Amino acid sequence: GESVGLHLPTLSVQEGDNSIINCAYSNSASDYFIWYKQESGKGPQFIIDIRSNMDKRQGQRVTVLLNKTVKHLSLQIAATQPGDSAVYFCAENRGDSSYKLIFGSGTRLLVRP
Amino acid sequence: NAGVMQNPRHLVRRRGQEARLRCSPMKGHSHVYWYRQLPEEGLKFMVYLQKENIIDESGMPKERFSAEFPKEGPSILRIQQVVRGDSAAYFCASSPDVGQAYGYTFGSGTRLTVV
């Protein structure tokens, strides 16, 4: 079925380097996307979101890029810190049900000191 | 300003028992959503409730699972006659506006283990 696609890969980066986490989505009708951070034993924490009428949005140390042509979403974290170590999920929201989020399976980010 | 409160944090049940998971939304939020997370997977939508109403239960198994959000008190996700496959983390989220994903705030979840 349709899904936001990640298969829990692990990304290991050196502290201070930039991290890029990728996500593919399958439904071109999706119009809202969110990145969440989940630390061990905790619930998903909102990081940044983007609507389909944008292709880039920046927050504090984070940038989300949206490429609707190839249905691809990425999260860039600048100057990665040990506290960034977590599992990151992208989620999509489809126009037909504005409340329902479709989550990918996540990417584990490990930050080496 | 407390966030979404879920309890218990951890719940162990033997096969065949009942599990009751509670969720108190953020103050001022009247929309509650339940999601389930299996190990190493993303969250999957189960049900959306407003006070005294089930709006969308399309993600909830037809048998053994039920949810409510009474006029007073927390939202309850109830699993009857639990089986090992019910072992998962169950997350509740709330939002202030009519079913808008951008307003979501998640709780810390209840980790259910069926032995």
Side-chain angles (χ1 to χ4, degrees):
Chain A
E2 297 178 40
S3 66
V4 179
L6 294 173
H7 297 287
L8 205 55
T10 297
L11 177 65
S12 179
V13 300
Q14 191 74 38
E15 181 179 354
D17 286 353
N18 296 335
S19 303
I20 300 176
I21 300 171
N22 296 303
C23 175
Y25 65 95
S26 57
N27 191 336
S28 54
S30 293
D31 57 6
Y32 178 59
F33 305 87
I34 309 173
W35 280 100
Y36 286 96
K37 173 186 181 183
Q38 188 177 27
E39 296 173 283
S40 182
K42 296 185 179 180
Q45 177 188 354
F46 173 92
I47 301 173
I48 193 167
D49 59 1
I50 189 167
R51 295 204 174 271
S52 59
N53 60 353
M54 302 172 70
D55 52 21
K56 180 179 180 179
R57 189 155 188 239
Q58 288 185 290
Q60 187 178 13
R61 282 202 306 120
V62 294
T63 301
V64 55
L65 299 177
L66 176 62
N67 185 332
K68 293 181 287 293
T69 303
V70 295
K71 288 185 256 179
H72 184 268
L73 195 67
S74 69
L75 176 69
Q76 300 177 2
I77 304 174
T80 313
Q81 301 169 359
D84 295 328
S85 293
V87 177
Y88 290 80
F89 294 96
C90 63
E92 67 177 305
N93 179 231
R94 301 174 186 176
D96 58 343
S97 57
S98 61
Y99 50 84
K100 194 180 298 184
L101 289 174
I102 310 296
F103 281 80
S105 56
T107 293
R108 190 181 311 278
L109 177 64
L110 296 176
V111 181
R112 304 188 303 272
Chain B
N1 185 16
V4 177
M5 304 301 291
Q6 289 189 249
N7 66 82
R9 291 295 305 276
H10 299 275
L11 182 61
V12 179
R13 284 287 176 266
R14 295 187 185 278
R15 280 178 294 169
Q17 290 185 320
E18 178 179 286
R20 278 182 181 247
L21 288 62
R22 288 177 290 278
C23 168
S24 296
M26 284 186 70
K27 188 175 180 181
H29 288 194
S30 58
H31 304 269
V32 166
Y33 319 84
W34 286 92
Y35 284 74
R36 177 164 64 176
Q37 185 179 33
L38 296 174
E40 302 283 288
E41 292 188 12
L43 282 70
K44 300 264 190 314
F45 171 82
M46 297 181 75
V47 60
Y48 163 36
L49 309 107
Q50 295 176 20
K51 286 282 187 183
E52 300 184 279
N53 282 305
I54 297 174
I55 307 302
D56 180 355
E57 56 182 349
S58 60
M60 203 147 70
K62 295 287 186 286
E63 297 179 354
R64 302 188 299 108
F65 284 71
S66 62
E68 63 176 7
F69 189 15
K71 188 176 180 181
E72 301 292 335
S75 175
I76 306 286
L77 179 67
R78 182 182 177 207
I79 312 172
Q80 296 177 288
Q81 299 175 330
V82 296
V83 300
R84 288 232 169 96
D86 297 332
S87 296
Y90 291 84
F91 291 95
C92 168
S94 70
S95 70
D97 297 320
V98 177
Q100 291 296 322
Y102 61 76
Y104 266 44
T105 300
F106 281 94
S108 294
T110 294
R111 278 137 191 93
L112 172 66
T113 302
V114 179
V115 297

